[in-house]
Amino acid sequence: MVDARLDPDRLRERLRSLDDLAAGAPPSDIEVVRAPGRVNLIGEHTDYNDGFVMPAAIGLEIRLAVLATDERRVVVSLEETGETGSFDLDAIGPATGGWIDYVGGTAWALQDAGYAIRGFRAILASDLPQGAGLSSSAALEMASALALLGPDGSAVPVGDRARIGRRAENAYVGVQSGVMDQFASAGGVADHAILLDCRSLEFRPVALPLPEVRLVVCHSGSRRRLEASAYNDRLVECQRAVAAIAQLDPSVRALRDVDDELLAATRDRMDEVAFRRASHVVAENARVVETERALAAGDLASVGKLFAASHVSLRDLYEVSSPELDALVDIATSVDGVIAARLTGAGFGGSTINLVRRDRIIALREAVERDYPARTGLQATIVDVNAVDGAGWIRDGIT
Ligand code: ADP
Ligand code: MG
């Protein structure tokens, strides 16, 4: 059941109530585009190392009701607050530090890649929490890309749209994130996760053990404190490891190209921090591939072990967990029927992903409500999410 705020007809009316331009437009001229958030099952901080990830697009999303105009200008209002952001397509200018940057950055990256884009007036509604590690930024970019490209935008390959969104985030907003979030938002497959090779952008759907097992997101209630600098530091540390390893094996371009043996052979060539970061990435890539195999074999016990190993590695080697995320994983794994639990997304706060037997979600909720506030002083939010299709225009009958 989609949040009532996202109802397409309601959004059309809200847009028409905003100003004279939209008021005069027939509702049928107002198109609605949707782009989901994502949860990453496994493969954390591997995307910008050219590695493997396993995200699923989730049924929490951003929607834009869009009225195309003849002007070379984009104007977007937030349904929730009425706040309005805008820019000229022919003079986008530098980032401002606000949410409109994700729209402006996408417009800039699309134009820079040679795409013809259009001006529009839009209203934005969302039930996807911001800064929760569920990629609201990528959802905003992928919704904006379609709004800018128009109805034919869905024909632009998912990988191309994802690369555009990544460029917006890297070069315009200034976060050196990988391509996973945008790819998942644009290319998700209903009822599946996807195994994505972040170098080639080849991907395949991974069937989930639905409906007996559900994807449950626990938001820690502490906003993801991902300073751009902390994220960018990790990238630099990984690059330091790559440079050291490439002295021995010049074919190595990214940590994706490194295995345990090569890492062990080059350990003395790098500093301790670079070695810890590389150790995480090399093992995490292998865990993604193993998780796909375990899911295909119905071996949920192994999936649980792989998630646990991923969390420990992110906590101790990559150092991106938080006391809140550790507490959530600890509480969840003590509940019978929770198959797997780990932090999801970049870390530093945000959310955990849990694979939970459907009839045990209530037990998880009770355990978190009982133990989490006592351990952290915070309230967690628990959401049982569907895996949904990637971004697109809302056509007849789909709400
Ligand atoms: P995450 O992608 O994990 O949610 P980010 O910090 O990368 O966290 O992106 C969050 C930012 O994206 C917000 O600070 C805001 O600028 C923008 N954003 C996302 N959703 C919305 C929304 N519904 N309305 C306005 N801005 C949004
Ligand atoms: Mg983000």
Side-chain angles (χ1 to χ4, degrees):
M1 180 60 195
V2 167
D3 194 299
R5 285 171 299 172
L6 301 185
D7 179 71
D9 288 331
R10 179 172 176 271
L11 281 177
R12 287 189 181 91
E13 281 316 309
R14 291 280 285 119
L15 180 61
R16 293 175 87 234
S17 73
L18 287 179
D19 56 28
D20 290 349
L21 174 73
S28 58
D29 283 3
I30 299 173
E31 308 142 314
V32 180
V33 67
R34 54 169 284 277
R38 66 97 191 93
V39 66
N40 189 25
L41 270 64
I42 195 160
E44 219 65 79
H45 290 278
T46 46
D47 61 347
Y48 54 84
N49 288 299
D50 275 4
F52 300 108
V53 293
M54 195 188 287
I58 58 173
L60 298 172
E61 59 191 42
I62 287 181
R63 290 188 176 182
L64 291 171
V66 181
L67 176 68
T69 62
D70 295 332
E71 290 174 37
R72 299 282 299 153
R73 187 165 175 72
V74 167
V75 185
V76 182
S77 298
L78 303 182
E79 187 265 348
E80 211 172 355
T81 62
E83 190 190 332
T84 295
S86 65
F87 57 88
D88 286 319
L89 288 176
D90 298 323
I92 295 178
T96 60
W99 56 269
I100 194 69
D101 290 350
Y102 294 93
V103 189
T106 304
W108 166 77
L110 278 167
Q111 292 194 127
D112 203 51
Y115 289 95
I117 56 175
R118 60 184 196 167
F120 61 79
R121 175 81 179 97
I123 188 162
L124 181 161
S126 170
D127 64 354
L128 175 61
Q130 302 177 32
L134 302 176
S135 285
S136 66
S137 62
L140 182 49
E141 289 151 10
M142 293 298 91
S144 301
L146 291 178
L148 289 156
L149 289 163
D152 297 338
S154 310
V156 174
V158 165
D160 293 353
R161 276 182 273 148
R163 281 197 186 96
I164 295 285
R166 180 188 185 184
R167 181 122 197 272
E169 194 131 345
N170 291 175
Y172 190 83
V173 177
V175 179
Q176 299 307 316
S177 49
V179 76
M180 165 171 70
D181 301 350
Q182 292 82 5
F183 199 98
S185 180
V189 178
D191 297 333
H192 291 73
I194 57 177
L195 192 146
L196 173 67
D197 176 336
C198 295
R199 173 172 279 167
S200 67
L201 296 194
E202 282 170 16
F203 77 103
R204 49 183 182 262
V206 176
L208 295 169
L210 307 168
E212 288 76 21
V213 174
R214 301 280 307 168
L215 301 180
V216 179
V217 171
C218 295
H219 182 232
S220 63
S222 96
R223 199 187 140 87
R224 195 166 57 67
R225 294 176 293 265
L226 171 54
E227 303 305 327
S229 63
Y231 205 115
N232 299 348
D233 285 350
R234 294 297 180 281
L235 175 70
V236 169
E237 290 155 3
C238 290
Q239 286 169 341
R240 230 163 45 223
V242 169
I245 298 165
Q247 287 171 358
L248 185 69
D249 180 348
S251 74
V252 168
R253 287 189 288 138
L255 288 176
R256 151 70 177 278
D257 303 313
V258 179
D259 60 14
D260 286 341
E261 211 181 329
L262 182 55
L263 185 60
T266 48
R267 176 173 190 158
D268 293 342
R269 294 171 182 262
M270 66 187 92
D271 61 277
E272 179 58 30
V273 171
F275 177 73
R276 279 208 302 275
R277 307 302 188 237
S279 301
H280 164 75
V281 173
V282 169
E284 185 79 354
N285 275 324
R287 281 190 285 268
V288 177
V289 177
E290 283 174 45
T291 300
E292 185 192 32
R293 211 177 297 140
L295 283 170
D299 178 5
L300 297 180
S302 290
V303 175
K305 286 185 190 136
L306 289 159
F307 272 43
S310 172
H311 185 84
V312 167
S313 177
L314 288 160
R315 185 189 68 199
D316 298 344
L317 297 176
Y318 221 70
E319 297 177 279
V320 292
S321 191
S322 67
E324 294 85 8
L325 293 169
D326 294 344
L328 278 177
V329 167
D330 204 32
I331 294 165
T333 44
S334 72
V335 175
D336 187 40
V338 173
I339 292 158
R342 52 177 290 279
L343 76 82
T344 188
F348 308 101
S351 302
T352 62
I353 171 71
N354 304 265
L355 302 188
V356 187
R357 292 203 187 281
R358 191 172 38 172
D359 59 358
R360 298 294 296 166
I361 295 174
I362 290 175
L364 172 61
R365 190 181 295 280
E366 284 171 357
V368 170
E369 282 170 2
R370 187 185 59 233
D371 296 342
Y372 184 71
R375 284 178 65 163
T376 62
L378 295 171
Q379 300 286 341
T381 315
I382 298 166
V383 197
D384 170 9
V385 295
N386 293 317
V388 303
D389 283 327
W393 294 97
I394 294 186
R395 312 275 183 210
D396 297 341
I398 301 172
T399 56

